[in-house]
Amino acid sequence: MSQNTIANPSQKEESKKTGLISKETLLSLLEDGSIDTVNLAICDMQGRLMGKRLTAAYCLENNLDKGTHFCNYLLGTDFEMNTPDGYEMMNWENGYGDWLALPDWSTLRIVPWADRTAIVFCDVYDEKTGDPIPIAPRTLLKNQIEKAATKGFELFMASELEFYLFKESFEDLHQKGYEDVETAGHINEDYNLLQGTRNEPFYQKIRRNMAKADIPIESSKGEAFKGQHEINMRYSDALNAADNHIMFKHGMKEICMQDNLSVTFMAKPNHQWTGSSGHIHLSLWDKRAGENVFYDPDSGNHNMSKTMQHFLAGVLKYSRDFALFFAPYVNSYKRYAQESWAPVNIIWSHDNRSSGYRIVGDGKSLRMETRIPGADMNPYLAYTALIGAGLQGIEEELELEPEFKGNAYKDKNIPRIPGSLYEAIQCWEDSEVVQKVLGEKAASHYLFTAKLEQKQFDRIVTKWERQRYFEQC
């Protein structure tokens, strides 16, 4: 059962003031004034929470099960919320109509860092047909989870996110044009407890608030550059893990705003800095037996079962096809560099950080870790790609290539993740499996989004170009 599945709330829950709660508890808290704001949220393509803040009076007067409407353009915009021409499912010809956001009550939680506020994640539906919208990120992940369930499988996953902290507000950095920014630290703090102490009061606040919000954090640590840090979330079923990932990023930014700080999850904020990764851990379980089907004690290949080998082989074969879901932006590809701690190699090894896919753990904890995505990923989409590619490997009974040993950065014969958004677009466009896994509408929608991203970048003249060419040409 999912960690966030709640049924028949106990008396203990009725007095709960933080974390996951039931709808019945919410109504009680709205009645007594403990909660006066309810956020209904969907996740957009860029991994941001969009939605409405509802008042207590409105919630009590209306049936929240009916959800709320929102303009469908929210799943067809760029970062600036422009409405570009060319999207099939949302455009002026169709009048930019409404879609319906229906609450998933298993995600309902009180937000401990906000005043008398609760939030619930919603799924997106066509109100007329009752069908889920096929391009919605959370829907895409749920589709793959359901596909795995038909095969008797349940997925457990977890995210590790790296980021940079700044002792200036988002507004201050915006006014500076994000130039000449200084990280919240002046020494590489990778695993360094003393250097991590510099910002520990804030990180401790993050860990405590996330625990109160029922987003369990395993650890935090300094990362491989000045002011860079990493926070690891505890594993959970795949949908809950992605929900926690989104809520963590959103919550950390909100807490930064309250403290006049800022944070970035950009894959490569500065060409001189270490990139920020978004590692994903994944294991596949038998739903009935409650056992990790990746594990086979009789296998001589690091105890990896045939199922795990097929799954991993599928991920390896189709990593380039799905690169847009691992690295969705122009900047994402600037993180990939030789011997930079950002794997560029589509290869697997046991406990080898030069490989894109690293096998770790044993017994019930045996799992695969993908080190390819950046911290800028949308987890619903990155998780979708991993699960979809892996299940395809099981269906095709793909044979796993031998383990790579050594420094994968130096082997020129290993397939590489695309080196640019251009190349990733081409891989996606040429792929047959992307459409098979996602469906034609979702595949074409996200392809068009990537092309828009590339087109917008191509027309911009950068500071680097002016410094290089202005006088010399």
Side-chain angles (χ1 to χ4, degrees):
M1 181 179 288
S2 167
Q3 284 185 351
N4 62 5
T5 299
I6 298 175
N8 300 319
S10 64
Q11 291 182 350
K12 181 179 180 181
E13 189 207 25
E14 295 301 326
S15 63
K16 192 176 183 182
K17 301 297 182 183
T18 60
L20 290 163
I21 59 172
S22 66
K23 178 189 170 187
E24 290 72 23
T25 297
L26 173 65
L27 294 174
S28 174
L29 296 174
L30 289 168
E31 287 276 7
D32 68 23
S34 298
I35 296 293
D36 65 13
T37 302
V38 180
N39 296 339
L40 267 62
I42 66 164
C43 179
D44 72 358
M45 294 190 296
Q46 290 80 14
R48 302 171 297 184
L49 289 181
M50 300 288 173
K52 297 178 182 179
R53 288 181 168 92
L54 307 183
T55 65
Y58 178 87
C59 293
L60 291 170
E61 290 171 7
N62 293 272
N63 182 359
L64 288 177
D65 288 327
K66 292 182 179 179
T68 188
H69 295 93
F70 69 92
C71 178
N72 64 18
Y73 96 113
L74 289 179
L75 292 178
T77 69
D78 59 16
F79 276 108
E80 287 75 35
M81 305 301 290
N82 296 314
T83 53
D85 292 332
Y87 278 115
E88 178 186 346
M89 299 187 71
M90 61 283 292
N91 49 60
W92 285 117
E93 285 70 25
N94 293 331
Y96 282 107
D98 277 351
W99 280 337
L100 186 63
L102 289 179
D104 177 348
W105 293 113
S106 72
T107 69
L108 176 64
R109 73 185 78 222
I110 297 174
V111 182
W113 55 86
D115 182 35
R116 293 191 291 173
T117 299
I119 189 170
V120 61
F121 286 6
C122 298
D123 291 307
V124 185
Y125 291 88
D126 182 318
E127 188 172 22
K128 293 180 181 178
T129 66
D131 295 331
I133 299 300
I135 61 171
R138 199 168 188 265
T139 297
L140 287 170
L141 176 56
K142 288 177 73 173
N143 289 343
Q144 293 308 306
I145 293 170
E146 289 168 8
K147 182 178 179 181
T150 63
K151 300 176 183 296
F153 298 138
E154 183 175 16
L155 291 126
F156 285 89
M157 302 179 75
S159 296
E160 300 175 354
L161 286 174
E162 298 169 4
F163 51 85
Y164 281 91
L165 183 70
F166 305 91
K167 291 187 175 178
E168 296 178 86
S169 69
F170 285 113
E171 289 78 10
D172 289 339
L173 296 186
H174 176 74
Q175 289 297 321
K176 294 167 61 172
Y178 306 97
E179 294 284 346
D180 303 318
V181 299
E182 294 185 9
T183 59
H186 60 278
I187 293 175
N188 184 323
E189 61 182 71
D190 197 20
Y191 289 97
N192 192 317
L193 289 176
L194 177 62
Q195 297 308 316
T197 300
R198 183 167 284 106
N199 300 302
E200 172 56 14
F202 176 73
Y203 294 137
Q204 189 176 55
K205 182 177 182 179
I206 294 294
R207 295 193 304 269
R208 287 173 175 171
N209 272 288
M210 294 301 158
K212 290 178 182 178
D214 280 332
I215 302 171
I217 303 298
E218 287 193 342
S219 65
S220 66
K221 60 174 280 292
E223 254 306 316
F225 201 77
K226 299 175 288 186
Q228 190 183 32
H229 215 73
E230 175 185 287
I231 286 185
N232 299 339
M233 282 163 270
R234 182 170 172 77
Y235 77 91
S236 179
D237 66 89
L239 186 61
N240 189 45
D243 290 340
N244 286 346
H245 178 133
I246 289 289
M247 194 66 214
F248 167 80
K249 284 181 70 172
H250 181 84
M252 187 170 186
K253 290 178 181 179
E254 287 192 332
I255 297 170
C256 277
M257 288 178 178
Q258 294 169 1
D259 290 0
N260 289 316
L261 301 172
S262 55
V263 63
T264 184
F265 293 90
M266 276 183 70
K268 191 76 169 180
N270 186 299
H271 65 277
Q272 295 179 320
W273 303 355
T274 303
S276 289
S277 300
H279 300 160
I280 303 171
H281 292 253
L282 181 153
S283 60
L284 194 64
W285 288 64
D286 184 305
K287 284 179 68 71
R288 289 187 177 180
E291 296 178 350
N292 184 354
V293 298
F294 275 3
Y295 175 65
D296 179 1
D298 298 321
S299 168
N301 195 359
H302 301 292
N303 292 335
M304 293 193 298
S305 68
K306 274 294 183 182
T307 299
M308 181 176 187
Q309 293 181 50
H310 292 325
F311 190 98
L312 181 54
V315 171
L316 292 171
K317 181 176 180 179
Y318 297 117
S319 284
R320 286 175 57 83
D321 299 57
F322 284 104
L324 289 180
F325 275 4
F326 298 137
Y329 311 117
V330 171
N331 179 261
S332 306
Y333 295 86
K334 297 186 177 182
R335 170 176 157 265
Y336 297 124
Q338 293 288 350
E339 299 185 355
S340 66
W341 299 102
V344 299
N345 316 292
I346 303 174
I347 199 73
W348 78 274
S349 298
H350 182 265
D351 197 17
N352 180 345
R353 285 182 168 85
S354 73
S355 297
Y357 295 95
R358 178 171 168 250
I359 305 307
V360 292
D362 196 16
K364 292 200 301 183
S365 68
L366 181 66
R367 63 197 184 277
M368 57 172 283
E369 175 195 27
T370 173
R371 300 171 56 78
I372 287 174
D376 58 348
M377 66 171 160
N378 180 329
Y380 297 116
L381 302 182
Y383 284 20
T384 292
L386 278 177
I387 299 169
L391 293 179
Q392 194 64 29
I394 292 176
E395 287 182 13
E396 297 178 26
E397 297 186 343
L398 296 177
E399 289 298 317
L400 182 64
E401 60 196 53
E403 177 185 7
F404 178 87
K405 296 183 179 181
N407 184 351
Y409 287 112
K410 292 185 176 180
D411 193 322
K412 296 182 180 180
N413 297 315
I414 296 175
R416 309 279 175 166
I417 201 73
S420 67
L421 186 60
Y422 271 122
E423 188 179 352
I425 288 170
Q426 194 62 55
C427 290
W428 185 282
E429 203 161 20
D430 292 343
S431 174
E432 295 180 1
V433 77
V434 166
Q435 281 204 20
K436 181 178 180 181
V437 169
L438 304 181
E440 188 277 329
K441 284 189 176 181
S444 61
H445 186 86
Y446 284 93
L447 174 63
F448 183 70
T449 300
K451 287 182 175 180
L452 282 176
E453 175 80 3
Q454 186 67 65
K455 184 178 179 180
Q456 287 179 312
F457 177 79
D458 289 345
R459 66 182 178 84
I460 298 297
V461 177
T462 65
K463 178 181 177 181
W464 181 88
E465 290 170 281
R466 285 190 291 273
Q467 291 176 334
R468 188 174 183 88
Y469 304 125
F470 191 95
E471 182 177 341
Q472 302 282 16
C473 287

